Amino acid sequence: MFTTALPQQRSNPSTAFPQDLFAAIQALKQELNAIILAHYYQDPDIQDVADYLGDSLGLSQQAAQTDADVIVFAGVHFMAETAKILNPNKLVLLPDLDAGCSLADSCPPQAFAEFKAAHPNHLVVSYINCTAEIKAMSDIICTSSNAVKIVRQIPEDQPIIFAPDRNLGRYVMDQTGRDLVLWQGSCMVHETFSEKKIVQLQMEHPDAEVIAHPECEPAVLRHAQYIGSTTALLKYAEQSDRQSFIVATEPGIIHQMEKQAPQKRFIPAPPMNNCACNECPHMRLNTLEKLYLAMKQRSPEITLPEDVRVRALRPIQRMLEMS
């Protein structure tokens, strides 16, 4: 993971914040010519202040198109890295540098390089939830929105390594009929949902549909009436005739579901233990206060070695072309 040498700025009880943080952030956006990009899994306050809200594919597309001078990325580290890869001359800020990703961490670069070397002649398709170093070793990047579409465009006689998420990889295999070599990584949030508790919820709410993200384990996906990316889940819930849904993904998306379809009921799928394990602890490190400080202090900044950035750029460009 590559970061700036500047120390991370953290809020503390003595920090004097403006009374109206929303107005203060809006003023800083004008001053910096900044755009705030936020993932659906962020806290509702951050979602509400964002200029663009989306999943990994949409956020990548916005980062590639923006004419802002400053990109404030309210998400996790690999997302901000992607914005920097696409915008080397822009200032890219991440409110909390510790906002990492368990899935990205499950694919160490050196180990993946050895894995790749053990499978010569394989094309590497990597899920965007990975570090810049893994992207630099990849041929094509994908997201949960376009993984199936991208794999279907690759000649059937071309062997493929799919990394780092094994659950998304299994889903792609099921949808395409392709035999992929899977790196055995996973997301701590999407592997925490309890199949038993979801079945119990279905019994309690027989009219509710289970909708799930393909990063979930196969046992959970078996019970889903609809499987899709975060944006796809949002669109499906909004357009469906059903009035009640059990949502098997990070519950931050429910804020937008309730805004788009206020008359419907959205029930977060429960984790295996009595905890908030279905909330991504990394995503939740970002707060409105940290976002304000990042803009005010122009820090923490995302930086990358230029050779890594250049090598990581091409597979992202191929994804955007193939999407």
Side-chain angles (χ1 to χ4, degrees), residues 181-216:
V181 177
L182 303 180
W183 176 267
Q184 296 297 309
S186 63
C187 166
M188 62 185 290
V189 171
H190 287 98
E191 285 205 327
T192 195
F193 295 117
S194 166
E195 180 189 15
K196 178 180 178 181
K197 290 182 180 180
I198 287 174
V199 172
Q200 290 173 340
L201 273 180
Q202 286 180 296
M203 295 176 66
E204 295 169 12
H205 306 278
D207 294 332
E209 278 191 334
V210 176
I211 58 176
H213 193 284
E215 284 184 42
C216 294

Side-chain angles (χ1 to χ4, degrees), residues 163-284:
D165 190 88
R166 62 191 177 198
N167 292 318
L168 179 58
R170 290 191 195 108
Y171 176 75
V172 172
M173 290 173 67
D174 180 65
Q175 294 298 303
T176 64
R178 297 292 293 269
D179 185 18
L180 309 179
V181 177
L182 303 180
W183 176 267
Q184 296 297 309
S186 63
C187 166
M188 62 185 290
V189 171
H190 287 98
E191 285 205 327
T192 195
F193 295 117
S194 166
E195 180 189 15
K196 178 180 178 181
K197 290 182 180 180
I198 287 174
V199 172
Q200 290 173 340
L201 273 180
Q202 286 180 296
M203 295 176 66
E204 295 169 12
H205 306 278
D207 294 332
E209 278 191 334
V210 176
I211 58 176
H213 193 284
E215 284 184 42
C216 294
E217 293 187 304
V220 170
L221 295 183
R222 280 200 300 269
H223 298 280
Q225 283 76 46
Y226 182 79
I227 300 169
S229 67
T230 317
T231 295
L233 295 178
L234 175 61
K235 290 180 179 177
Y236 180 81
E238 180 184 0
Q239 297 169 3
S240 173
D241 292 334
R242 290 296 184 100
Q243 296 298 304
S244 185
F245 302 88
I246 297 167
V247 183
T249 191
E250 215 279 355
I253 186 60
I254 291 178
H255 177 60
Q256 290 303 311
M257 289 178 171
E258 291 174 340
K259 289 176 69 173
Q260 298 297 325
Q263 77 281 9
K264 297 184 180 182
R265 183 180 186 188
F266 301 98
I267 306 162
M272 286 175 277
N273 300 314
N274 295 321
C275 61
C277 310
N278 58 347
E279 293 185 358
C280 177
H282 303 289
M283 286 280 188
R284 301 308 172 105

Side-chain angles (χ1 to χ4, degrees), residues 104-120:
D105 291 344
S106 73
C107 191
Q110 183 174 348
F112 186 71
E114 294 171 359
F115 182 79
K116 180 181 175 181
H119 297 86

